[in-house]
Amino acid sequence: MNGGHLLAADERYGTREALGPHAVMLFFAAPSSTEPHGFRLHTAYRMFLAAPESEHLVALLADLTAIATDNIAHARSLGRWWHPLGPERSMVNGGDMTLPADAVYVGVGISTLDSVDGSWQQLARTLRSPSGTGSVRSAFDLKSECYALLVDGTAIKVDRDPHARIGSSGVRSSKPLEARWDRHWHNPHHDLTTQGDADTRQVWHHLDTLHEVLTAHLHRKRSQ
C-alpha cells in the first residue's frame, strides 16, 4: 500500500490530480478456508488530493475522526447504519471496496510520504531538480512510513527505506508478529505508541482516537 501510494503520488505530481502526502487504510478480516491462517485480510484506503487541509497528518486524522463521528450520528438519526466503506458518506476511494458479509473491522493505518529526510513536497522536488553529482534519483529511492493500530492492541510502525541494510525490515511492533515466538523475548517496542519524538506521539494519539471511534461503532453492530 505504501509503495503504491508513493508511485501514484510521483506519477501525479504537478498535475491537477496531484496527491497529498498521506493516505488512510482500513483493515477488515473475513474467514477463509483457503488461507493458511483461516482468514483473509481486506484493505480499503483513501488517498487525498493535494490541498492545504491534507498536508498535515495530525490535523487530517482529527478531521477524519470528526467526519466519522458525524457520519455515525447522522445515520443513527435517520435510523440507518453507517459503514466507512459506504455506500453513503464513504471514507475510502480505493482497495477492497466490497467486503464479504462476515468481514469484521480489525484496524486502521496511515501511509505517509513524509519521512526523516523531509516532507513529500520537498522530496518530490529533489527528484525533478538537476543533481550536482549527475546522479539520477527516482521515487524508488525515497523513504516513507506507515502506522497501524489493530483491535487486539497491536501497534505497528514501518519505516520503509529502500537502501536499508539486508535483514533490516524497518518494522516495529508492540506485540510479536510471528506465529511462534519465544515468550521470554524482550520486546523493546512494547510501548511503541509512546516512543519517538513529540510529532510521532501526536500521530499515534490521533490515530488511536480514530481507531476507538471506528472500533466502538463497528463492533457494536457485530455484538447486537
Side-chain angles (χ1 to χ4, degrees):
M1 170 61 205
N2 184 252
H5 180 201
L6 176 62
L7 294 178
D10 183 50
E11 291 174 356
R12 292 162 60 170
Y13 181 81
T15 71
R16 295 180 62 181
E17 299 297 316
L19 293 173
H22 314 299
V24 64
M25 301 173 283
L26 301 180
F27 306 118
F28 300 84
S32 175
S33 59
T34 61
E35 297 294 329
H37 297 290
F39 69 89
R40 177 169 295 173
L41 179 68
H42 300 267
T43 304
Y45 61 81
R46 184 177 190 90
M47 295 184 186
F48 300 88
L49 294 178
E53 59 270 21
S54 63
E55 292 294 316
H56 192 271
L57 181 52
V58 167
L60 178 63
L61 288 170
D63 287 344
L64 288 174
T65 302
I67 290 170
T69 302
D70 179 66
N71 287 345
I72 292 168
H74 176 76
R76 191 173 296 165
S77 69
L78 299 176
R80 300 175 183 171
W81 178 261
W82 175 77
H83 194 281
L85 271 60
E88 297 180 358
R89 300 191 177 202
S90 173
M91 288 183 65
V92 299
N93 56 16
D96 298 323
M97 304 282 284
T98 303
L99 300 175
D102 52 358
V104 296
Y105 170 78
V106 295
V108 63
I110 283 290
S111 166
T112 175
L113 306 183
D114 293 343
S115 72
V116 294
D117 289 342
S119 71
W120 161 243
Q121 292 297 334
Q122 293 170 331
L123 297 171
R125 283 195 295 269
T126 66
L127 300 181
R128 291 155 176 83
S129 301
S131 170
T133 63
S135 61
V136 178
R137 299 179 74 211
S138 73
F140 294 101
D141 294 302
L142 301 183
K143 299 177 182 178
S144 48
E145 301 175 352
C146 285
Y147 299 74
L149 289 173
L150 308 182
V151 291
D152 71 344
T154 301
I156 302 171
K157 175 82 162 35
V158 181
D159 296 302
R160 185 177 163 279
D161 182 357
H163 300 294
R165 67 181 185 277
I166 296 176
S168 176
S169 67
V171 177
R172 288 173 282 169
S173 175
S174 64
K175 293 185 178 182
L177 298 178
E178 301 294 334
R180 298 179 180 179
W181 56 282
D182 183 354
R183 294 185 179 275
H184 299 290
W185 171 66
H186 170 67
N187 183 5
H189 310 302
H190 175 73
D191 299 318
L192 184 60
T193 59
T194 62
Q195 298 174 2
D197 58 23
D199 289 340
T200 300
R201 295 194 299 273
Q202 277 291 300
V203 171
W204 282 122
H205 171 72
H206 285 273
L207 184 61
D208 183 57
T209 302
L210 174 61
H211 180 50
E212 287 182 353
V213 169
L214 293 174
T215 301
H217 174 62
L218 295 174
H219 282 233
R220 174 174 168 267
K221 169 84 173 212
R222 185 186 176 196
S223 64
Q224 289 178 342

